[in-house]
């Protein structure tokens, strides 16, 4: 790999986490599940990718999310939130992983324009550094609304309103599972020759085995000589949804992420899984590279998410592409608020919308799922482009 090298301070930061992981592996008997490795490199207090101080979003970071691409993303999402909040005047918004704070700023600004501000806008983010950035941006952009924004350290026991999770599920730890010769293995991490290495162990019992046993991916006929199939299973996603279902009294959860339904997720051609690493806008497949300095993600199995939600008493209210959701919620109308003859302002916004809705960009790969409780009104974001049949 020809990737940019970190500065000495960042390298030392990564080496410290590497030592912590090595000791963790030794204390665990020489092997840990990849989910444990992923959780540590992303979320170890003060050292993980999301809990440390490295820049993550935008040009100086490792990736660009939809709220960073265009203010129209948050403004459009606000229209879906407004429809739900109109049904519950005391409802709030809870955003997970608020990034730089841009989504909160744009949603609150548009909700104020719509005269539909939430009682509270709550943010739950594991990064103290990002919380500081969010506070600073909100104080700068919407100081008169700052008093409505509250940062949480734990999930509220009860919640009513709209829950927003934009690119949250993809960053939750996953187990790596291998199906081969009629057997199921879990891919784990060991310390070997002064570095991390892979080692698979038979998977024979427990929740992960029960799920994997029901998911024997098909091996394409032209690959029968090599019937090994590796993919991800996220127990964390399932637990996250179950926990939110317990706390949600009334409202809607909006999950926005890249992923597929089960049949596409475990397609014969996706036999190497979907795990990806992102470092300074370079995508690669080595999760052992500079632990703590790079992002690790996997695509979301939306069938599993929907199954966990429905088993926990939530209603699947919609599932569609990001393109359909944004268009249904009026992103083109928001773009039209900028006069087309103001080329210097209109053209950049139009290009941003293209990135958000184009099938070649984020429009098709990214999906939006709505899970509801005690809400009967059909949601405007899903009036066309229904993909629930693919789950």
């Amino acid at each position: 790999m020809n990737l940019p090298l970190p500065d000495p301070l960042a390298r030392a930061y990564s080496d410290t986490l590497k030592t912590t992981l090595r000791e963790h592996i030794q204390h665990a008997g020489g092997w840990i599940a990849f989910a444990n490795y992923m959780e540590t490199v992303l979320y170890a207090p003060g050292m993980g990718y999301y809990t440390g101080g490295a820049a993550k979003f935008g040009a100086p970071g490792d990736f660009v999310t939809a709220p960073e691409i265009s203010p129209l993303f948050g403004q459009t999402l606000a229209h879906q939130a407004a429809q739900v909040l109109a049904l519950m005047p005391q409802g709030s918004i809870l955003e997970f992983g608020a990034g730089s704070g841009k989504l909160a700023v744009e949603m609150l600004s548009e909700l104020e324009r719509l005269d539909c501000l939430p009682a509270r806008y709550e943010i739950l983010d594991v990064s103290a550094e990002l919380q500081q950035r969010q506070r600073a941006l909100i104080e700068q952009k919407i100081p008169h609304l700052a008093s409505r924004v509250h940062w949480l350290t734990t999930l509220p026991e009860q919640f009513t309103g709209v829950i927003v999770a934009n690119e949250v599920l993809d960053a939750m730890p996953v187990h790596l599972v291998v199906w081969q010769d009629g057997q199921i293995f879990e891919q784990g991490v060991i310390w070997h020759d002064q570095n991390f290495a892979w080692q698979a162990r038979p998977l024979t019992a427990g929740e992960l085995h029960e799920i994997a046993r029901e998911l024997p991916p098909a091996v394409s006929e032209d690959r029968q000589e090599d019937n090994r199939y590796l993919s991800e299973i996220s127990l964390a996603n399932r637990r996250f949804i179950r926990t939110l279902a317990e706390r949600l009294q009334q409202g809607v959860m909006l999950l926005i992420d890249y992923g597929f339904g089960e049949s596409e997720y475990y397609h014969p051609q996706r036999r190497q899984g979907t795990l990806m690493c992102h470092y300074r806008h370079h995508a690669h497949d080595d999760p052992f590279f500079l632990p703590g300095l790079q992002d690790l993600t996997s695509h979301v199995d939306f069938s599993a998410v929907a199954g966990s939600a429905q088993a926990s008493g939530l209603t699947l209210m919609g599932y569609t592409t990001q393109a359909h959701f944004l268009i249904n919620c009026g992103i083109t109308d928001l773009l039209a608020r900028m006069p087309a003859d103001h080329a210097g302002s209109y053209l950049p916004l139009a290009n941003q919308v293209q990135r958000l809705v184009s099938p070649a960009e984020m429009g098709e790969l990214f999906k939006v799922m709505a899970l509801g409780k005690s809400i009967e009104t059909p949601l405007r974001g899903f009036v066309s482009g229904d993909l629930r049949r693919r789950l």
Side-chain angles (χ1 to χ4, degrees):
M1 292 187 300
N2 187 20
L3 296 173
L5 295 176
D7 59 49
L9 183 61
R11 168 70 73 175
Y13 173 94
S14 179
D15 288 344
T16 300
L17 182 56
K18 199 170 182 178
T19 299
T20 299
L21 279 160
R22 184 185 68 209
E23 294 172 350
H24 179 36
I25 291 171
Q26 290 171 345
H27 292 156
W31 184 97
I32 59 173
F34 178 75
N36 294 348
Y37 174 89
M38 185 172 175
E39 182 173 12
T40 302
V41 299
L42 294 183
Y43 301 108
M47 294 188 294
Y49 179 78
Y50 286 108
T51 53
K56 303 162 184 67
F57 303 96
D62 301 308
F63 52 85
V64 178
T65 61
E68 307 291 322
I69 290 173
S70 177
L72 295 181
F73 179 82
Q75 294 167 21
T76 306
L77 192 57
H79 284 251
Q80 179 61 87
Q83 183 193 12
V84 178
L85 291 172
L87 303 174
M88 50 192 81
Q90 295 305 308
S92 298
I93 293 177
L94 170 58
E95 182 185 356
F96 285 91
S100 67
K102 288 185 178 180
L103 181 59
V105 166
E106 297 302 338
M107 287 190 69
L108 283 168
S109 298
E110 187 67 13
L111 287 167
E112 181 181 36
R113 194 188 72 83
L114 296 171
D115 194 24
C116 195
L117 282 167
R120 289 164 58 97
Y121 193 108
E122 299 175 335
I123 293 175
L124 186 55
D125 201 304
V126 297
S127 170
E129 182 265 339
L130 286 178
Q131 290 175 28
Q132 293 174 359
R133 289 177 60 185
Q134 293 154 13
R135 283 191 175 93
L137 188 69
I138 288 166
E139 290 286 355
Q140 175 192 353
K141 298 292 188 181
I142 50 171
H144 62 295
L145 298 178
S147 62
R148 290 182 183 263
V149 185
H150 303 267
W151 281 263
L152 309 180
T153 56
T154 59
L155 270 176
E157 290 298 320
Q158 295 184 341
F159 182 81
T160 297
V162 179
I163 296 173
V164 178
N166 179 55
E167 291 198 53
V168 170
L169 296 178
D170 68 89
M172 291 188 176
V174 293
H175 292 265
L176 295 184
V177 177
V178 177
W179 292 262
Q180 187 170 18
D181 298 328
Q183 298 184 71
I184 304 173
F185 303 86
E186 180 172 10
Q187 190 82 294
V189 181
I190 62 171
W191 181 259
H192 179 71
D193 286 343
Q194 304 305 306
N195 209 340
F196 301 111
W198 296 111
Q199 186 181 87
R201 291 187 173 183
L203 186 61
T204 58
E207 181 185 7
L208 184 62
H209 179 260
E210 293 302 311
I211 294 171
R213 194 174 61 177
E214 298 298 319
L215 286 174
V219 180
S220 56
E221 294 182 1
D222 60 344
R223 296 298 297 268
Q224 286 297 326
E225 75 284 355
D226 177 13
N227 62 6
R228 183 179 187 271
Y229 191 105
L230 179 145
S231 193
E232 305 87 19
I233 293 176
S234 177
L235 300 183
N237 279 353
R238 290 165 167 83
R239 292 165 184 163
F240 178 71
I241 296 299
R242 289 197 293 264
T243 300
L244 290 182
E246 293 172 359
R247 310 294 175 90
L248 183 64
Q249 303 302 298
Q250 181 187 21
V252 171
M253 297 164 49
L254 295 173
L255 310 174
I256 307 162
D257 232 311
Y258 45 92
F260 315 98
E262 181 182 301
S263 62
E264 293 176 88
Y265 197 95
Y266 298 102
H267 190 277
Q269 294 179 349
R270 200 163 283 115
R271 54 193 310 196
Q272 296 300 324
T274 69
L275 184 71
M276 287 298 297
C277 311
H278 300 275
Y279 177 70
R280 296 189 187 176
H281 296 281
H282 291 75
H284 65 95
D285 61 359
D286 181 8
F288 303 146
F289 176 76
L290 294 177
L293 300 184
Q294 66 171 351
D295 190 23
L296 273 60
T297 72
S298 70
H299 287 48
V300 176
D301 175 0
F302 279 104
S303 293
V305 171
S308 295
Q310 291 171 312
S312 302
L314 297 175
T315 300
L316 176 60
M317 300 191 69
Y319 175 62
T320 191
T321 64
Q322 178 173 289
H324 273 109
F325 177 82
L326 292 176
I327 292 169
N328 289 340
C329 288
I331 194 170
T332 54
D333 296 332
L334 294 179
L335 175 61
R337 294 197 308 213
M338 176 65 66
D341 56 358
H342 292 188
S345 300
Y346 180 83
L347 289 179
L349 280 177
N351 288 334
Q352 293 164 13
V353 171
Q354 179 70 8
R355 287 187 66 182
L356 294 174
V357 304
S358 168
E361 298 274 355
M362 301 176 72
E364 295 293 329
L365 178 58
F366 277 72
K367 310 297 194 305
V368 184
M369 176 174 281
L371 305 171
K373 181 180 283 187
S374 301
I375 298 289
E376 303 297 332
T377 304
L379 301 180
R380 64 173 296 182
F382 304 90
V383 293
S384 69
D386 181 19
L387 294 180
R388 282 176 288 185
R389 66 189 181 282
R390 294 190 185 178
L391 295 172

